[in-house]
């Protein structure tokens, strides 16, 4: 009997397998792989990333406005967050459908429609964790201010991870990466300030 190691039968499990055959690791990598399988282009993943950023900024702004309102109750906070994020996701979906119709002169169907639905679903998923926290506050499991504080931390960390991931994937030197990251952080605070002001008026 030969003592040679047995090669894995699944080419996706081999270390020397080509990049396309390796299984993606991480939720973002899996989402990217699913979108690229449907479309075969990087643009599908760009759309996914963009809509998640929009939804995250919107959710954070709503949480900050509700937290600044001393008379808010958990029920109002939960519905304001869910409806606000749902509204921005629906607007993004309609915008993508109109853009597809204008460019391709056809309504998105099949793989094109699946891409738009996956993009919308990814953006809508940004409300899950904060929504659960506010639901726990509604059920008197935790105080509302603690739930709002935790929700804002979740959104801020999400934006930070997205920004860092985007910068790290660039071909810039480390010094330019830090500069770009600083610019993104400054722009992020500006967007948060504008959205918070808009929701508080």
């Amino acid at each position: 009997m030969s003592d040679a190691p047995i090669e894995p039968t699944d080419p996706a499990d081999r270390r020397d397998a080509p990049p396309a055959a390796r299984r993606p690791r991480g939720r973002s990598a899996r989402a990217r792989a699913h979108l690229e399988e449907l479309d075969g282009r990087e643009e599908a993943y760009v759309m996914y990333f963009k809509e998640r950023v929009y939804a995250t900024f919107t959710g954070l702004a709503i949480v900050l406005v509700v937290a600044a309102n001393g008379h808010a109750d958990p029920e109002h906070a939960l519905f304001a967050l869910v409806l606000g994020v749902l509204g921005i996701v629906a607007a993004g979906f309609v915008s993508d459908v109109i853009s597809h119709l204008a460019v391709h002169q056809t309504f998105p169907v099949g793989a094109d429609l699946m891409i738009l639905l996956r993009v919308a679903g990814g953006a809508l998923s940004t409300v899950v964790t904060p929504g659960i926290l506010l639901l726990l506050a509604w059920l008197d499991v935790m105080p509302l201010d603690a739930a709002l504080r935790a929700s804002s931390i979740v959104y801020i960390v999400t934006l930070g991870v997205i920004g860092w991931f985007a910068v790290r994937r660039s071909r810039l030197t480390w010094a330019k990466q830090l500069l770009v990251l600083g610019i993104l952080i400054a722009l992020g605070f500006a967007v948060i300030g504008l959205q918070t002001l808009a929701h508080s008026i």
Side-chain angles (χ1 to χ4, degrees), residues 78-195:
L78 178 61
F79 282 111
L81 177 63
V82 172
L83 292 177
V85 174
L86 183 61
I88 196 68
V89 171
F93 178 79
V94 173
S95 174
D96 289 335
V97 170
I98 293 174
S99 299
H100 187 280
L101 185 61
V103 173
H104 301 285
Q105 300 178 345
T106 59
F107 191 84
V109 294
D112 291 330
L113 182 59
M114 285 301 300
I115 289 171
L116 300 187
L117 291 175
R118 284 185 182 275
V119 168
L124 195 59
S125 68
T126 60
V127 80
V128 173
T129 301
I132 291 174
L133 291 171
L134 293 179
L135 179 61
L136 292 176
W138 190 4
L139 298 175
D140 292 328
V141 176
M142 63 188 304
L144 176 59
D145 57 345
L148 291 171
R149 193 179 309 113
S151 298
S152 63
I153 291 173
V154 168
Y155 279 130
I156 291 172
V157 170
T158 300
L159 289 172
V161 170
I162 291 175
W164 176 247
F165 178 75
V167 170
R168 287 292 296 167
R169 285 179 57 85
S170 70
R171 295 184 176 90
L172 301 174
T173 63
W174 67 269
K176 290 183 178 179
Q177 286 181 356
L178 290 178
L179 177 61
V180 171
L181 184 60
I183 294 173
L184 290 177
I185 291 173
L187 291 174
F189 277 117
V191 171
I192 292 170
L194 289 172
Q195 287 203 337

